Amino acid sequence: MGSDDVIAMAPVPGEVKSWAFGDGVDVDVERKGASDVPALKRQLKSRHLQMIAIGGTIGTGLFIGSGEALTKSGPAGALVAYIFVGTLVYSVMQSLGEMATYIPIAGAFTSYAARFVDPSLGFSMGWIYWFSWAMTYALELTATGLIIQYWNKDLSIGIFIGVFWVVVTAANFLPVSFYGEFEFWFASIKIVTIVGFLIFAMCIDAGAGQHGYLGFHTWGNPGAFAPYLITDNEALAKFVGFWAVLIQAGFSYQGTEL
């Protein structure tokens, strides 16, 4: 362990919590602030951080998962499910924001778990978080292949997965300033695409498509809540559809902690 490594001290009742460094000096972050804590090299600009935060919440949950959510639970069921999960995420982010403001440190949210609860919890959360994003990486590559394969189903999806795996992995080996530029421009493309989708959806809903004006037509036929899996009990089937979308909504909100 080098001299710059930070060790999270487990909180002890009655003691002032502090961070201990390799040179044996304790720094009371609550009283002295974060200026005495060794900081990382800041090579990301404000525009990089803003786009990383915005782009991190936009992914397959919106471009692919939204249609599946509507199929499972209907427009009203999907709306209620996303609002419900959104309130939970908002509460968590409020708490995380308060801790980050009170004790600004150069570390992820797992540092707060190790500090306020126990180092073992921070260790476990760190590995679970890594595993979550590792699985998300594979999912994003698969989703990218599915989207491109839509225009040519004869091509194997493995081609697109391999190409994007090489490009994205190579980008992560570049210096952080290059990574920030990649995130900035790709997140900008995401935002422009979403704005385009919203404009397109409003035009179709207003009657620009071949089906004419739609409005809230689907809320009445087939209905605001759609049954899912169960066939002999419609009320229970609609609840199952709502419950299934809760899991999907939780995945869609992944990345808000960025």
Side-chain angles (χ1 to χ4, degrees):
M1 183 175 293
S3 59
D4 294 333
D5 294 329
V6 179
I7 303 175
M9 303 297 292
V12 179
E15 292 185 1
V16 177
K17 303 179 183 65
S18 61
W19 291 100
F21 300 94
D23 55 4
V25 178
D26 290 342
V27 177
D28 181 9
V29 185
E30 288 95 332
R31 294 178 179 176
K32 296 185 179 181
S35 58
D36 296 328
V37 180
L40 301 175
K41 294 183 179 180
R42 300 183 178 181
Q43 297 184 357
L44 292 177
K45 300 179 181 179
S46 177
R47 62 185 180 90
H48 295 154
L49 297 176
Q50 292 175 1
M51 283 302 179
I52 289 175
I54 297 174
T57 60
I58 305 172
T60 56
L62 176 63
F63 293 107
I64 295 180
S66 56
E68 185 178 355
L70 291 172
T71 302
K72 289 180 178 178
S73 63
L79 179 63
V80 173
Y82 274 83
I83 291 176
F84 178 77
V85 177
T87 57
L88 299 179
V89 174
Y90 176 79
S91 301
V92 173
M93 295 310 301
Q94 281 288 100
S95 302
L96 182 59
E98 290 182 6
M99 288 188 291
T101 304
Y102 180 57
I103 309 177
I105 58 175
F109 60 89
T110 55
S111 302
Y112 297 110
R115 178 179 179 84
F116 291 108
V117 183
D118 192 83
S120 60
L121 179 61
F123 175 83
S124 302
M125 288 181 62
W127 277 107
I128 292 174
Y129 191 62
W130 174 88
F131 183 78
S132 172
W133 278 108
M135 294 298 100
T136 302
Y137 184 31
L139 177 64
E140 297 285 352
L141 291 175
T142 305
T144 303
L146 289 174
I147 293 175
I148 299 179
Q149 196 184 39
Y150 173 81
W151 285 276
N152 193 340
K153 298 185 181 299
D154 296 331
L155 294 177
S156 173
I157 190 176
I159 299 175
F160 307 113
I161 293 176
V163 170
F164 282 98
W165 179 83
V166 172
V167 173
V168 175
T169 303
N172 280 270
F173 278 99
L174 296 175
V176 67
S177 57
F178 289 90
Y179 169 78
E181 288 296 329
F182 274 112
E183 283 286 344
F184 175 80
W185 290 109
F186 282 119
S188 300
I189 294 174
K190 284 184 178 181
I191 295 174
V192 172
T193 303
I194 290 176
V195 173
F197 279 168
L198 291 175
I199 296 175
F200 177 77
M202 287 187 290
C203 292
I204 294 297
D205 189 68
Q210 59 181 353
H211 299 289
Y213 175 73
L214 298 177
F216 286 87
H217 171 72
T218 55
W219 288 62
N221 182 24
F225 293 88
Y228 183 64
L229 293 180
I230 300 176
T231 57
D232 57 348
N233 190 329
E234 184 177 359
L236 182 60
K238 291 180 179 180
F239 175 77
V240 171
F242 163 76
W243 194 262
V245 175
L246 283 179
I247 302 175
Q248 187 171 334
F251 171 78
S252 300
Y253 280 105
Q254 183 185 25
T256 53
E257 73 282 351
L258 298 177

